[in-house]
């Protein structure tokens, strides 16, 4: 009997120790990232920033990360975490999403958003929405409560009403400093090609990995300042501004949408991982510093793989960004260095 026990232990122990190893490695070595967010890429530099302004941005980014992390801690899904984080950023007047969005050439706010589930490859998106308080909630409803992937304009708003989502007058989104920016832009004469000037950044996005091993991504924006009304950027385009696939990674992009659409940047990163065997860092760098930069486009991405490895890559002077690891440690960054 005693001999049998020893024999069992001898066979079982190495297997038992082996099974512990991945956990021990993760806990002691590099902690997995479970949620990352961005608040837009652009000409964000230290000399244009006051300490108070920087503090305000950092506080909202932190609040968004905490909201998403709490969802994950309580056993929520990566989709729930992405929505929780983006809602905070949409409600903040600091970012170009929801309240505080940039304005069209007509002086209105037209909002775009999308979300994708890396487990099922289901996706939902809305574009040109004018009255839905939290466009990311509507994108999720399109994914979960309709047979479609994208709804635009009046059809999207009618669907929002049917789904019981909160609606607000367009003025709710429009803040005085945005009107002023548009006025100045009109004075200078609006360029044909939207540029990532100081005042035009602020799109928001999130990527998350839950305890079930599933990835999700979401993005929400007012687009680009002075855009023609009716213009749709990359943020609601699945494969351009947003993508999630458990077999590769979850991505949210920000930058000059026209370039991200033409290069299908988010899906390019997934494809480079799946078919060329690149790591998430290599794939994101190839898409932003290779493809996008070669085309003359500006912007960045956050990309999270299913092992909790995060890449935050951009070719602009700055990108508001932050992440939280599995232990709840929060990191927030703004500038390139
Ligand atoms: N990508 C967004 C758009 O083109 C803008 C941004 O990220 O700043 O609509």
């Amino acid at each position: 009997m005693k001999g049998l026990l020893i024999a069992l232990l001898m066979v079982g122990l190495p297997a038992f120790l082996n099974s512990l190893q991945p956990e021990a490695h993760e806990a002691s070595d590099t902690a997995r990232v479970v949620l990352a967010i961005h608040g837009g890429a652009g000409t964000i530099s230290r000399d244009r920033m006051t300490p108070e302004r920087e503090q305000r941005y950092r506080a909202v980014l932190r609040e968004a990360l905490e909201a998403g992390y709490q969802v994950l801690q309580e056993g929520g899904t990566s989709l729930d975490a992405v929505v929780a984080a983006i809602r905070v950023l949409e409600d903040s007047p600091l970012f170009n999403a929801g309240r505080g969005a940039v304005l069209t050439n007509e002086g209105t706010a037209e909002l775009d958003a999308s979300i994708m589930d890396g487990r099922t490859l289901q996706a939902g998106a809305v574009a040109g929405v004018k009255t839905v308080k939290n466009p990311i909630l509507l994108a999720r409803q399109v994914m979960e409560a309709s047979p479609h992937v994208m709804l635009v304009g009046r059809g999207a708003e009618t669907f929002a009403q049917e789904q019981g989502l909160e609606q607000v007058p367009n003025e709710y989104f429009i803040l005085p400093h945005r009107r002023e920016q548009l006025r100045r832009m009109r004075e200078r004469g609006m360029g044909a090609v939207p540029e990532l000037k100081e005042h035009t950044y602020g799109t928001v996005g999130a990527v998350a990995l839950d305890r079930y091993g599933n990835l999700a991504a979401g993005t929400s924006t007012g687009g680009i300042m002075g855009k023609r009304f009716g213009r749709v950027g990359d943020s609601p385009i699945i494969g351009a501004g947003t993508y999630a696939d458990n077999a590769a990674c979850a991505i949210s992009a920000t930058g000059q949408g026209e370039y991200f659409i033409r290069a299908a940047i988010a899906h390019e990163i997934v494809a480079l991982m799946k078919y060329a065997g690149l790591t998430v860092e290599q794939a994101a760098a190839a898409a932003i510093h290779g493809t996008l930069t070669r085309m003359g486009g500006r912007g960045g991405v956050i990309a999270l793989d299913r092992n909790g490895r995060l890449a935050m890559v951009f070719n602009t002077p700055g990108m508001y960004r932050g992440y939280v690891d599995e232990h709840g440690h929060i990191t927030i960054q703004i500038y390139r260095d």
Side-chain angles (χ1 to χ4, degrees), residues 273-300:
M273 289 179 70
K274 279 170 80 168
Y275 309 123
L278 266 54
T279 66
V280 68
E281 292 94 341
Q282 292 167 336
I288 297 301
H289 297 308
T291 310
L292 182 74
T293 304
R294 266 199 309 275
M295 290 170 74
R298 312 268 283 156

PDB file of all heavy atoms in Angstrom, residues 273-300:
ATOM      1  N   MET A 273      -0.790  38.168 -37.697  1.00  0.00           N
ATOM      2  CA  MET A 273      -0.579  37.206 -36.613  1.00  0.00           C
ATOM      3  C   MET A 273      -0.994  35.804 -37.050  1.00  0.00           C
ATOM      4  O   MET A 273      -0.284  34.828 -36.825  1.00  0.00           O
ATOM      5  CB  MET A 273      -1.370  37.630 -35.370  1.00  0.00           C
ATOM      6  CG  MET A 273      -0.799  38.868 -34.699  1.00  0.00           C
ATOM      7  SD  MET A 273      -1.747  39.366 -33.258  1.00  0.00           S
ATOM      8  CE  MET A 273      -1.345  38.044 -32.108  1.00  0.00           C
ATOM      9  N   LYS A 274      -2.152  35.697 -37.689  1.00  0.00           N
ATOM     10  CA  LYS A 274      -2.679  34.380 -38.035  1.00  0.00           C
ATOM     11  C   LYS A 274      -1.919  33.695 -39.165  1.00  0.00           C
ATOM     12  O   LYS A 274      -1.672  32.510 -39.142  1.00  0.00           O
ATOM     13  CB  LYS A 274      -4.151  34.499 -38.448  1.00  0.00           C
ATOM     14  CG  LYS A 274      -5.099  34.568 -37.263  1.00  0.00           C
ATOM     15  CD  LYS A 274      -6.504  34.926 -37.686  1.00  0.00           C
ATOM     16  CE  LYS A 274      -7.298  33.768 -38.235  1.00  0.00           C
ATOM     17  NZ  LYS A 274      -8.736  34.108 -38.369  1.00  0.00           N
ATOM     18  N   TYR A 275      -1.572  34.475 -40.177  1.00  0.00           N
ATOM     19  CA  TYR A 275      -1.033  33.846 -41.386  1.00  0.00           C
ATOM     20  C   TYR A 275       0.472  34.028 -41.559  1.00  0.00           C
ATOM     21  O   TYR A 275       1.096  33.305 -42.306  1.00  0.00           O
ATOM     22  CB  TYR A 275      -1.778  34.366 -42.626  1.00  0.00           C
ATOM     23  CG  TYR A 275      -3.268  34.266 -42.469  1.00  0.00           C
ATOM     24  CD1 TYR A 275      -4.097  35.368 -42.591  1.00  0.00           C
ATOM     25  CD2 TYR A 275      -3.866  33.041 -42.164  1.00  0.00           C
ATOM     26  CE1 TYR A 275      -5.468  35.278 -42.414  1.00  0.00           C
ATOM     27  CE2 TYR A 275      -5.237  32.925 -41.980  1.00  0.00           C
ATOM     28  CZ  TYR A 275      -6.035  34.051 -42.097  1.00  0.00           C
ATOM     29  OH  TYR A 275      -7.382  33.947 -41.913  1.00  0.00           O
ATOM     30  N   ALA A 276       1.040  35.030 -40.860  1.00  0.00           N
ATOM     31  CA  ALA A 276       2.484  35.219 -40.988  1.00  0.00           C
ATOM     32  C   ALA A 276       3.200  34.875 -39.683  1.00  0.00           C
ATOM     33  O   ALA A 276       4.423  34.964 -39.608  1.00  0.00           O
ATOM     34  CB  ALA A 276       2.796  36.647 -41.415  1.00  0.00           C
ATOM     35  N   GLY A 277       2.417  34.543 -38.659  1.00  0.00           N
ATOM     36  CA  GLY A 277       3.016  34.096 -37.400  1.00  0.00           C
ATOM     37  C   GLY A 277       3.678  35.203 -36.600  1.00  0.00           C
ATOM     38  O   GLY A 277       4.500  34.928 -35.721  1.00  0.00           O
ATOM     39  N   LEU A 278       3.332  36.453 -36.870  1.00  0.00           N
ATOM     40  CA  LEU A 278       3.941  37.564 -36.121  1.00  0.00           C
ATOM     41  C   LEU A 278       3.351  37.647 -34.708  1.00  0.00           C
ATOM     42  O   LEU A 278       2.218  37.237 -34.472  1.00  0.00           O
ATOM     43  CB  LEU A 278       3.681  38.889 -36.849  1.00  0.00           C
ATOM     44  CG  LEU A 278       4.774  39.380 -37.823  1.00  0.00           C
ATOM     45  CD1 LEU A 278       5.120  38.330 -38.851  1.00  0.00           C
ATOM     46  CD2 LEU A 278       4.319  40.668 -38.508  1.00  0.00           C
ATOM     47  N   THR A 279       4.118  38.196 -33.776  1.00  0.00           N
ATOM     48  CA  THR A 279       3.582  38.475 -32.440  1.00  0.00           C
ATOM     49  C   THR A 279       2.714  39.722 -32.538  1.00  0.00           C
ATOM     50  O   THR A 279       2.759  40.457 -33.527  1.00  0.00           O
ATOM     51  CB  THR A 279       4.712  38.761 -31.429  1.00  0.00           C
ATOM     52  OG1 THR A 279       5.358  39.981 -31.826  1.00  0.00           O
ATOM     53  CG2 THR A 279       5.715  37.623 -31.367  1.00  0.00           C
ATOM     54  N   VAL A 280       1.957  39.976 -31.474  1.00  0.00           N
ATOM     55  CA  VAL A 280       1.069  41.146 -31.504  1.00  0.00           C
ATOM     56  C   VAL A 280       1.872  42.438 -31.636  1.00  0.00           C
ATOM     57  O   VAL A 280       1.466  43.367 -32.354  1.00  0.00           O
ATOM     58  CB  VAL A 280       0.128  41.155 -30.267  1.00  0.00           C
ATOM     59  CG1 VAL A 280       0.883  41.410 -28.962  1.00  0.00           C
ATOM     60  CG2 VAL A 280      -0.985  42.180 -30.436  1.00  0.00           C
ATOM     61  N   GLU A 281       3.045  42.492 -30.994  1.00  0.00           N
ATOM     62  CA  GLU A 281       3.882  43.701 -31.101  1.00  0.00           C
ATOM     63  C   GLU A 281       4.380  43.883 -32.536  1.00  0.00           C
ATOM     64  O   GLU A 281       4.345  44.994 -33.076  1.00  0.00           O
ATOM     65  CB  GLU A 281       5.108  43.615 -30.176  1.00  0.00           C
ATOM     66  CG  GLU A 281       4.804  43.660 -28.693  1.00  0.00           C
ATOM     67  CD  GLU A 281       4.658  42.274 -28.078  1.00  0.00           C
ATOM     68  OE1 GLU A 281       4.439  41.296 -28.849  1.00  0.00           O
ATOM     69  OE2 GLU A 281       4.749  42.162 -26.845  1.00  0.00           O
ATOM     70  N   GLN A 282       4.855  42.782 -33.131  1.00  0.00           N
ATOM     71  CA  GLN A 282       5.385  42.853 -34.501  1.00  0.00           C
ATOM     72  C   GLN A 282       4.292  43.231 -35.499  1.00  0.00           C
ATOM     73  O   GLN A 282       4.491  44.058 -36.387  1.00  0.00           O
ATOM     74  CB  GLN A 282       5.982  41.501 -34.910  1.00  0.00           C
ATOM     75  CG  GLN A 282       7.246  41.129 -34.152  1.00  0.00           C
ATOM     76  CD  GLN A 282       7.624  39.663 -34.367  1.00  0.00           C
ATOM     77  OE1 GLN A 282       6.779  38.812 -34.699  1.00  0.00           O
ATOM     78  NE2 GLN A 282       8.897  39.347 -34.172  1.00  0.00           N
ATOM     79  N   ALA A 283       3.119  42.617 -35.323  1.00  0.00           N
ATOM     80  CA  ALA A 283       2.018  42.849 -36.271  1.00  0.00           C
ATOM     81  C   ALA A 283       1.529  44.296 -36.186  1.00  0.00           C
ATOM     82  O   ALA A 283       1.305  44.946 -37.215  1.00  0.00           O
ATOM     83  CB  ALA A 283       0.874  41.879 -35.997  1.00  0.00           C
ATOM     84  N   ALA A 284       1.382  44.807 -34.961  1.00  0.00           N
ATOM     85  CA  ALA A 284       0.900  46.190 -34.797  1.00  0.00           C
ATOM     86  C   ALA A 284       1.933  47.174 -35.351  1.00  0.00           C
ATOM     87  O   ALA A 284       1.578  48.159 -36.009  1.00  0.00           O
ATOM     88  CB  ALA A 284       0.614  46.480 -33.325  1.00  0.00           C
ATOM     89  N   ALA A 285       3.209  46.904 -35.105  1.00  0.00           N
ATOM     90  CA  ALA A 285       4.273  47.784 -35.615  1.00  0.00           C
ATOM     91  C   ALA A 285       4.305  47.760 -37.138  1.00  0.00           C
ATOM     92  O   ALA A 285       4.455  48.804 -37.789  1.00  0.00           O
ATOM     93  CB  ALA A 285       5.628  47.370 -35.039  1.00  0.00           C
ATOM     94  N   ALA A 286       4.129  46.572 -37.722  1.00  0.00           N
ATOM     95  CA  ALA A 286       4.153  46.466 -39.189  1.00  0.00           C
ATOM     96  C   ALA A 286       2.999  47.264 -39.796  1.00  0.00           C
ATOM     97  O   ALA A 286       3.163  47.948 -40.812  1.00  0.00           O
ATOM     98  CB  ALA A 286       4.064  44.992 -39.612  1.00  0.00           C
ATOM     99  N   ALA A 287       1.822  47.193 -39.172  1.00  0.00           N
ATOM    100  CA  ALA A 287       0.650  47.894 -39.717  1.00  0.00           C
ATOM    101  C   ALA A 287       0.797  49.407 -39.584  1.00  0.00           C
ATOM    102  O   ALA A 287       0.468  50.150 -40.519  1.00  0.00           O
ATOM    103  CB  ALA A 287      -0.615  47.422 -39.013  1.00  0.00           C
ATOM    104  N   ILE A 288       1.286  49.875 -38.423  1.00  0.00           N
ATOM    105  CA  ILE A 288       1.351  51.329 -38.194  1.00  0.00           C
ATOM    106  C   ILE A 288       2.629  51.936 -38.786  1.00  0.00           C
ATOM    107  O   ILE A 288       2.567  52.894 -39.561  1.00  0.00           O
ATOM    108  CB  ILE A 288       1.256  51.653 -36.681  1.00  0.00           C
ATOM    109  CG1 ILE A 288      -0.095  51.187 -36.126  1.00  0.00           C
ATOM    110  CG2 ILE A 288       1.463  53.155 -36.434  1.00  0.00           C
ATOM    111  CD1 ILE A 288      -1.313  51.799 -36.784  1.00  0.00           C
ATOM    112  N   HIS A 289       3.785  51.383 -38.428  1.00  0.00           N
ATOM    113  CA  HIS A 289       5.039  51.968 -38.921  1.00  0.00           C
ATOM    114  C   HIS A 289       5.336  51.552 -40.357  1.00  0.00           C
ATOM    115  O   HIS A 289       6.100  52.209 -41.061  1.00  0.00           O
ATOM    116  CB  HIS A 289       6.198  51.596 -37.999  1.00  0.00           C
ATOM    117  CG  HIS A 289       6.032  52.155 -36.610  1.00  0.00           C
ATOM    118  ND1 HIS A 289       5.777  53.481 -36.391  1.00  0.00           N
ATOM    119  CD2 HIS A 289       6.065  51.567 -35.386  1.00  0.00           C
ATOM    120  CE1 HIS A 289       5.650  53.703 -35.088  1.00  0.00           C
ATOM    121  NE2 HIS A 289       5.815  52.548 -34.459  1.00  0.00           N
ATOM    122  N   GLY A 290       4.741  50.443 -40.788  1.00  0.00           N
ATOM    123  CA  GLY A 290       4.903  50.013 -42.182  1.00  0.00           C
ATOM    124  C   GLY A 290       3.772  50.562 -43.040  1.00  0.00           C
ATOM    125  O   GLY A 290       3.834  51.683 -43.540  1.00  0.00           O
ATOM    126  N   THR A 291       2.699  49.777 -43.137  1.00  0.00           N
ATOM    127  CA  THR A 291       1.596  50.096 -44.059  1.00  0.00           C
ATOM    128  C   THR A 291       1.069  51.526 -43.927  1.00  0.00           C
ATOM    129  O   THR A 291       1.039  52.281 -44.902  1.00  0.00           O
ATOM    130  CB  THR A 291       0.432  49.105 -43.814  1.00  0.00           C
ATOM    131  OG1 THR A 291       0.963  47.777 -43.836  1.00  0.00           O
ATOM    132  CG2 THR A 291      -0.640  49.248 -44.880  1.00  0.00           C
ATOM    133  N   LEU A 292       0.606  51.897 -42.717  1.00  0.00           N
ATOM    134  CA  LEU A 292      -0.044  53.211 -42.531  1.00  0.00           C
ATOM    135  C   LEU A 292       0.915  54.356 -42.854  1.00  0.00           C
ATOM    136  O   LEU A 292       0.565  55.305 -43.560  1.00  0.00           O
ATOM    137  CB  LEU A 292      -0.561  53.340 -41.090  1.00  0.00           C
ATOM    138  CG  LEU A 292      -1.308  54.637 -40.791  1.00  0.00           C
ATOM    139  CD1 LEU A 292      -2.694  54.648 -41.424  1.00  0.00           C
ATOM    140  CD2 LEU A 292      -1.423  54.878 -39.286  1.00  0.00           C
ATOM    141  N   THR A 293       2.133  54.253 -42.331  1.00  0.00           N
ATOM    142  CA  THR A 293       3.108  55.330 -42.519  1.00  0.00           C
ATOM    143  C   THR A 293       3.477  55.463 -43.996  1.00  0.00           C
ATOM    144  O   THR A 293       3.576  56.574 -44.520  1.00  0.00           O
ATOM    145  CB  THR A 293       4.358  55.065 -41.651  1.00  0.00           C
ATOM    146  OG1 THR A 293       3.918  54.917 -40.292  1.00  0.00           O
ATOM    147  CG2 THR A 293       5.353  56.202 -41.734  1.00  0.00           C
ATOM    148  N   ARG A 294       3.656  54.337 -44.667  1.00  0.00           N
ATOM    149  CA  ARG A 294       3.980  54.373 -46.108  1.00  0.00           C
ATOM    150  C   ARG A 294       2.895  55.079 -46.907  1.00  0.00           C
ATOM    151  O   ARG A 294       3.158  55.787 -47.870  1.00  0.00           O
ATOM    152  CB  ARG A 294       4.162  52.945 -46.643  1.00  0.00           C
ATOM    153  CG  ARG A 294       5.597  52.460 -46.658  1.00  0.00           C
ATOM    154  CD  ARG A 294       5.782  51.277 -47.611  1.00  0.00           C
ATOM    155  NE  ARG A 294       4.822  50.217 -47.376  1.00  0.00           N
ATOM    156  CZ  ARG A 294       4.965  49.248 -46.475  1.00  0.00           C
ATOM    157  NH1 ARG A 294       6.042  49.207 -45.713  1.00  0.00           N
ATOM    158  NH2 ARG A 294       4.056  48.314 -46.327  1.00  0.00           N
ATOM    159  N   MET A 295       1.625  54.869 -46.497  1.00  0.00           N
ATOM    160  CA  MET A 295       0.510  55.499 -47.211  1.00  0.00           C
ATOM    161  C   MET A 295       0.396  56.984 -46.887  1.00  0.00           C
ATOM    162  O   MET A 295      -0.385  57.696 -47.522  1.00  0.00           O
ATOM    163  CB  MET A 295      -0.809  54.823 -46.820  1.00  0.00           C
ATOM    164  CG  MET A 295      -0.952  53.411 -47.343  1.00  0.00           C
ATOM    165  SD  MET A 295      -2.395  52.600 -46.607  1.00  0.00           S
ATOM    166  CE  MET A 295      -3.732  53.399 -47.467  1.00  0.00           C
ATOM    167  N   GLY A 296       1.109  57.429 -45.841  1.00  0.00           N
ATOM    168  CA  GLY A 296       1.026  58.831 -45.433  1.00  0.00           C
ATOM    169  C   GLY A 296      -0.016  59.071 -44.349  1.00  0.00           C
ATOM    170  O   GLY A 296      -0.372  60.218 -44.077  1.00  0.00           O
ATOM    171  N   GLY A 297      -0.533  58.015 -43.755  1.00  0.00           N
ATOM    172  CA  GLY A 297      -1.566  58.141 -42.721  1.00  0.00           C
ATOM    173  C   GLY A 297      -0.965  58.267 -41.331  1.00  0.00           C
ATOM    174  O   GLY A 297       0.174  57.851 -41.086  1.00  0.00           O
ATOM    175  N   ARG A 298      -1.765  58.881 -40.432  1.00  0.00           N
ATOM    176  CA  ARG A 298      -1.289  59.098 -39.067  1.00  0.00           C
ATOM    177  C   ARG A 298      -2.276  58.518 -38.068  1.00  0.00           C
ATOM    178  O   ARG A 298      -3.486  58.632 -38.236  1.00  0.00           O
ATOM    179  CB  ARG A 298      -1.141  60.586 -38.784  1.00  0.00           C
ATOM    180  CG  ARG A 298      -0.396  61.338 -39.859  1.00  0.00           C
ATOM    181  CD  ARG A 298       1.071  61.423 -39.600  1.00  0.00           C
ATOM    182  NE  ARG A 298       1.364  62.431 -38.589  1.00  0.00           N
ATOM    183  CZ  ARG A 298       2.457  62.420 -37.830  1.00  0.00           C
ATOM    184  NH1 ARG A 298       3.301  61.403 -37.932  1.00  0.00           N
ATOM    185  NH2 ARG A 298       2.679  63.381 -36.981  1.00  0.00           N
ATOM    186  N   GLY A 299      -1.743  57.915 -37.007  1.00  0.00           N
ATOM    187  CA  GLY A 299      -2.626  57.388 -35.967  1.00  0.00           C
ATOM    188  C   GLY A 299      -1.969  56.263 -35.200  1.00  0.00           C
ATOM    189  O   GLY A 299      -0.734  56.133 -35.203  1.00  0.00           O
ATOM    190  N   GLY A 300      -2.785  55.476 -34.528  1.00  0.00           N
ATOM    191  CA  GLY A 300      -2.237  54.390 -33.714  1.00  0.00           C
ATOM    192  C   GLY A 300      -3.277  53.346 -33.367  1.00  0.00           C
ATOM    193  O   GLY A 300      -4.458  53.482 -33.722  1.00  0.00           O
TER     194      GLY A 300
END
